[in-house]
Amino acid sequence: MPSLKQLIKKPIYALSSRFATGKLERAVREIENAKREELSRSTFLEAKIRQIGLRYDRRGLYGEDVRNMNFHAPGLWQIPRQLAEAMVLLASQPIGSFLEVGTCDGFTFSFMAACLSRLNPGLKATTIDIASTLPTSARIVFKTPVAFLAGKTSDAFADEAFDLVLIDGNHSYEWVARDYQNVGRQARLCMFHDINDRFCGDDAVPKFWRELKIEELGRADFHEFLFHSNSDRVMGIGIRIKR
């Protein structure tokens, strides 16, 4: 029989989730109508990330950004400045197609799709996840063609080429390598989450990122976004750009 805590927790999460999704939708609308130059400013993008809120996580990931964590609710599983600075770099690149591997709450995808579509009219954006159900963020109506696909891995897209791929699914070394081989290698821009994360372990994403920088030395440019208010090794974003 469920405990009283369990009985209370489910409706609290459902209510908090609806509220967080509402914040996300308002931010998406604002981004879709923002001036293009605003989407090239880190301060503007950081403010939008904080407006949406960060995913509830009790591990103490966020440092000073913990004040922007949503209460028992989904959100962006990101360090705001890391993602904002990465998006400034992407704002300088023409991007017609975008694939995210690993939807989770769909908040990062929604934020990125809104920003990239404002800068690249006609952008086609797709996010995939092995989970069989779609997150609440999938209910948002976007101005750009957006697809949330459940029950999918990168294996299903191995014959397709995207301008930008974000690899943020299973964080084991084997799956990161598989996702890169399937969809990341042929992409002009490949973005990785958790390249400097002590929680996922040095033998997972961080190891693959280190090896990739050696393997493609001279054939690609590598950019890292590692800021953390407490100088902690949490998350970290890497972008590989083909020369």
Side-chain angles (χ1 to χ4, degrees):
M1 188 174 186
S3 66
L4 179 60
K5 184 177 180 180
Q6 290 172 322
L7 290 172
I8 294 173
K9 187 176 180 180
K10 190 171 182 179
I12 287 176
Y13 181 83
L15 182 62
S16 298
S17 181
R18 286 197 297 272
F19 179 71
T21 303
K23 290 199 299 178
L24 172 64
E25 186 164 17
R26 286 191 294 275
V28 165
R29 295 285 86 82
E30 292 167 8
I31 291 168
E32 290 177 333
N33 293 298
K35 295 177 181 178
R36 293 167 62 90
E37 56 267 26
E38 289 181 311
L39 299 178
S40 297
R41 293 207 311 263
S42 178
T43 52
F44 175 84
L45 295 167
E46 275 191 69
K48 287 300 168 193
I49 293 169
R50 293 190 172 100
Q51 174 187 337
I52 296 166
L54 308 180
R55 191 181 201 268
Y56 182 75
D57 194 308
R58 298 174 63 184
R59 292 178 295 169
L61 305 179
Y62 301 121
E64 293 177 5
D65 286 302
V66 69
R67 61 182 178 270
N68 304 117
M69 186 172 70
N70 290 333
F71 177 72
H72 288 282
L76 286 105
W77 220 347
Q78 301 285 345
I79 303 301
R81 188 181 297 184
Q82 291 179 8
L83 181 57
E85 291 179 349
M87 292 302 296
V88 169
L89 175 61
L90 294 180
S92 68
Q93 302 289 323
I95 299 171
S97 56
F98 166 43
L99 174 69
E100 178 194 51
V101 179
T103 307
C104 192
D105 297 328
F107 278 52
T108 294
F109 172 76
S110 299
F111 171 77
M112 290 183 64
C115 292
L116 294 173
S117 65
R118 179 69 184 93
L119 295 165
N120 303 274
L123 172 84
K124 293 183 179 178
T126 304
T127 181
I128 61 174
D129 201 285
I130 197 169
S132 59
T133 56
L134 295 176
T136 57
S137 55
R139 302 169 190 167
I140 296 174
V141 177
F142 292 80
K143 288 184 177 180
T144 193
V146 167
F148 284 76
L149 303 179
K152 298 285 186 181
T153 71
S154 63
D155 293 348
F157 296 85
D159 296 327
E160 297 188 36
F162 299 87
D163 290 331
L164 169 65
V165 167
L166 167 58
I167 295 177
D168 193 18
N170 186 314
H171 284 54
S172 69
Y173 179 91
E174 293 74 19
W175 262 107
V176 174
R178 184 168 172 173
D179 289 335
Y180 185 72
Q181 186 61 40
N182 282 339
V183 293
R185 188 177 294 279
Q186 56 268 41
R188 185 168 52 84
L189 300 115
C190 189
M191 181 172 174
F192 296 82
H193 199 235
D194 299 305
I195 64 165
N196 188 45
D197 190 88
R198 62 185 174 86
F199 291 98
C200 75
D202 285 337
D203 290 333
V205 187
K207 178 183 178 182
F208 184 84
W209 177 251
R210 290 194 301 269
E211 292 178 350
L212 185 65
K213 289 192 292 183
I214 296 171
E215 177 190 342
E216 298 194 4
L217 180 66
R219 294 184 283 117
D221 296 314
F222 293 86
H223 302 265
E224 298 181 343
F225 307 91
L226 309 177
F227 172 83
H228 191 279
S229 60
N230 292 346
S231 300
D232 201 354
R233 290 184 57 237
V234 176
M235 301 189 192
I237 292 172
I239 298 179
R240 187 276 282 138
I241 305 178
K242 282 185 179 179
R243 290 182 180 173

